[in-house]
Amino acid sequence: MNPPTTPSAAGLRDLLSREVKSSELLRAVIVVGPMVAAYFISRETALLNLGLVAVSLLIPALRRHFPPKVVAWHYLAILVTFAALFLAAPVKPLFVVLTALAGFLAVAGTRYGEDFRTLGNWVFIPAVYLACEVREGVSASEAVRHAGVIIASSPIALALVCAIQIYDQQRRGNAATSFGPPATEGFLPAAATAMAVFAAAALVEIFNLEQGQWVMWSAASVVVGDLTASTGKLKQRAIGAFVGAPFGFLAGLALPQSRVGYAIAILAATLTLISFSRYVVGFGLRCFFIALAASFAGGASGIAEERIVNVLIGGAFGLIAVALTEIVWLRVMRKTRSPG
C-alpha cells in the first residue's frame, strides 16, 4: 500500500511540474551530459563550451519540431558565424560591425517566417558568446587551439541532437516543414537589434570589458517587440541578475575550489537555458550557477557585480534602440500619410 501524499509534498510536486520542463530537461542532459563527462576524462575546458552549441541546437529543434536537415543547417550557421567573429576579434572595428550584422540577420529572417527568430537567436547567442569566451584571458595561440577543439568536436553535438529529433519524430511524426507566417514587422526589430548590439560591442571593445559577451547578449535579448515588451524583458533579466548572481557568489564562498563543482555548475547553467517555464526563474538560476562556477574556479571576485552591471548596460542599449526605431518609424509613417 502506497504511503499517503502529504499536502506539502503534493504542492512541491505541482510547483515543479509547472516550473520545470522535465521532457526538455531530460533531452538537454542527454546532449550536454556527454560533454561534461568528456571534460572529466580529458580536462579539456573547450568541451564544456561545446555544451552551449549542443543546447543551442536543441532548443529550436524541440520547440519548432525541426527535422534533422534543418538542425544541420542551423549547426552550419553557428559554426560559420562563430568562425567569422572569432577571426575578426583582433580587429576591433571589424568585430563590432560583424557582431551587429549577426544581430540584424538573427531577426531579419522573420520576414520569411516568424520561427526564424528562434533559429536566429540561437545562432547569434552561441556564436557571440564563444567568440568572446575562448579569447578571454588566454594567448592567441591558446584561443586558436580552444576554438579548434570546439569546431572539431561539434559534430558530436549535432549527432546527439539529430538522434533525439529522429526519435521524437518517429513517435510523433510532426517534423516542421515551414517556418510559420512572415512577421508583419521584420525590419524594425532587426534594425533595433543591430543598433543595440553595435553599441554594446563598441563599448566592450573600447573599454576592454571583461565578460563582454554578457553585454552584447543582453542588448539583443531585450529587443522582443515594442518598448513595453522590451522593458518587461529587461525587468526580468535585472531581477534574475540581482537575485541570482549574489546568491551564487555567497554559496561559492562557503565551498572550496573544485573542478568537479565547476563542471557541474557549468552544466547546470547551460541547462537553465531550456529547463524552466518562466524566463525570470531560468535567468536567475543561470546567474546563480555562473557565479558559483566562477567561485569553484577561484575567480569569483567581482563576478556578481560584473553580471549585474553587464546585464543592465546591455539591456539599456536594447531599450534605447527600440525607442529610437519606434520614433523614427512613427515619423516615417506620418510623412507617408500626410497629404502633398
Side-chain angles (χ1 to χ4, degrees):
M1 184 173 179
N2 294 327
T5 303
T6 63
S8 58
L12 178 61
R13 188 170 60 246
D14 291 340
L15 176 64
L16 290 175
S17 66
R18 289 195 306 269
E19 296 292 343
V20 180
K21 301 177 181 178
S22 56
S23 176
E24 294 189 8
L25 174 59
L26 174 61
R27 284 158 174 76
V29 170
I30 291 171
V31 301
V32 180
M35 318 301 173
V36 177
Y39 164 74
F40 281 128
I41 296 170
S42 66
R43 297 177 177 265
E44 175 55 69
T45 56
L47 296 173
L48 292 178
N49 287 329
L50 184 59
L52 178 59
V53 176
V55 81
S56 297
L57 291 172
L58 183 67
I59 290 171
L62 290 182
R63 293 177 182 174
R64 304 305 180 205
H65 308 301
F66 289 143
K69 179 175 67 175
V70 176
V71 176
W73 282 111
H74 180 196
Y75 163 78
L76 289 175
I78 291 174
L79 289 194
V80 169
T81 308
F82 163 57
L85 295 178
F86 176 78
L87 294 174
V91 185
K92 292 186 176 184
L94 179 61
F95 176 79
V96 171
V97 170
L98 287 182
T99 305
L101 177 61
F104 178 84
L105 294 176
V107 184
T110 55
R111 65 178 297 183
Y112 302 105
E114 291 181 344
D115 288 349
F116 272 108
R117 178 64 190 263
T118 301
L119 202 62
N121 283 346
W122 291 105
V123 171
F124 177 83
I125 289 170
V128 171
Y129 185 91
L130 293 177
C132 295
E133 179 73 14
V134 298
R135 288 186 175 274
E136 190 82 31
V138 299
S139 65
S141 60
E142 177 62 16
V144 170
R145 190 197 67 81
H146 195 137
V149 171
I150 291 174
I151 292 173
S153 305
S154 59
I156 299 172
L158 174 63
L160 289 170
V161 175
C162 286
I164 285 176
Q165 288 305 96
I166 292 170
Y167 171 78
D168 285 344
Q169 286 162 21
Q170 286 176 343
R171 293 172 60 225
R172 295 192 302 251
N174 60 347
T177 56
S178 71
F179 289 91
T184 55
E185 294 289 347
F187 177 77
L188 213 61
T193 302
M195 290 171 54
V197 172
F198 182 90
L203 182 76
V204 168
E205 295 301 320
I206 290 170
F207 294 101
N208 294 315
L209 297 183
E210 292 186 5
Q211 304 297 332
Q213 62 269 24
W214 294 344
V215 184
M216 291 175 267
W217 185 340
S218 188
S221 176
V222 301
V223 183
V224 292
D226 59 18
L227 189 59
T228 301
S230 296
T231 302
K233 183 69 173 291
L234 178 56
K235 285 180 181 178
Q236 292 184 70
R237 291 179 65 83
I239 292 170
F242 272 109
V243 175
F247 273 101
F249 172 71
L250 292 174
L253 290 178
L255 297 170
Q257 294 182 25
S258 165
R259 190 171 70 93
V260 174
Y262 173 75
I264 292 174
I266 292 294
L267 171 63
T270 305
L271 294 177
T272 61
L273 290 165
I274 192 174
S275 304
F276 294 95
S277 300
R278 288 194 294 168
Y279 181 84
V280 66
V281 175
F283 187 72
L285 286 171
R286 195 173 317 138
C287 293
F288 172 87
F289 285 118
I290 287 172
L292 183 61
S295 297
F296 281 131
S301 178
I303 192 71
E305 295 89 339
E306 282 180 7
R307 183 70 174 181
I308 293 168
V309 170
N310 289 351
V311 164
L312 294 179
I313 291 174
F317 282 135
L319 290 187
I320 292 170
V322 171
L324 288 176
T325 52
E326 286 188 2
I327 291 170
V328 171
W329 181 251
L330 289 173
R331 287 184 177 179
V332 170
M333 293 300 293
R334 289 195 193 102
K335 287 182 179 179
T336 57
R337 291 172 182 172
S338 61

